Amino acid sequence: QVQLDESGGGLVQAGGSLRLSCAASGRTFSTNCMGWFRQAPGKEREIVAVITWSGRTYYTDSVKGRFTISRDNAKNTVYLQMNSLKPEDTAVYYCAASSTRALSYYSDDYNYWGQGTQVTVSS
């Protein structure tokens, strides 16, 4: 059974940092594009960052320069380092694995999802 387990969420003050981890089990995703998405209350799910097997990355404009996505293929794990957090970053963050190698920021291309981890940034 394939599972993506996120961890690292929590409550932090504005300007603080958190590091999210996503550990995959059940199969290897070393050649798949992996991504982080988020959904705030009353809003649609949106892309945050993605990374291909080769390390190519994409970030949504609102997090550029503050968030860094990385992966450790040997550990089948993806990370999201979040710095200079803002209250508008408050959301449930989801890890996802794409069905392909190609970089994609469309949620429809991702067919494995974690359960989500809450990130709350207080002002």
Side-chain angles (χ1 to χ4, degrees), residues 11-14 86-87 121-123:
L11 173 64
V12 64
Q13 287 188 332
K86 303 175 181 180
V121 184
S122 63
S123 57

Side-chain angles (χ1 to χ4, degrees), residues 16-66:
S17 298
L18 285 173
R19 188 194 195 206
L20 305 183
S21 298
C22 172
S25 60
R27 61 158 284 183
T28 179
F29 290 102
S30 60
T31 60
N32 296 70
C33 183
M34 303 288 291
W36 286 96
F37 294 75
R38 67 186 179 186
Q39 186 166 19
K43 295 187 177 181
E44 293 187 355
R45 184 170 57 192
E46 64 172 352
I47 183 71
V48 177
V50 303
I51 185 168
T52 67
W53 67 275
S54 62
R56 184 183 171 198
T57 58
Y58 165 85
Y59 298 91
T60 194
D61 285 347
S62 62
V63 308
K64 284 180 181 177
R66 300 187 298 121

Side-chain angles (χ1 to χ4, degrees), residues 59-104:
Y59 298 91
T60 194
D61 285 347
S62 62
V63 308
K64 284 180 181 177
R66 300 187 298 121
F67 291 11
T68 302
I69 188 171
S70 61
R71 65 192 296 166
D72 185 335
N73 289 334
K75 294 182 178 179
N76 222 15
T77 301
V78 178
Y79 306 95
L80 185 68
Q81 177 67 42
M82 305 186 294
N83 298 329
S84 302
L85 282 160
K86 303 175 181 180
E88 50 264 43
D89 294 318
T90 295
V92 177
Y93 283 70
Y94 297 91
C95 172
S98 169
S99 58
T100 69
R101 291 188 176 205
L103 187 147
S104 173

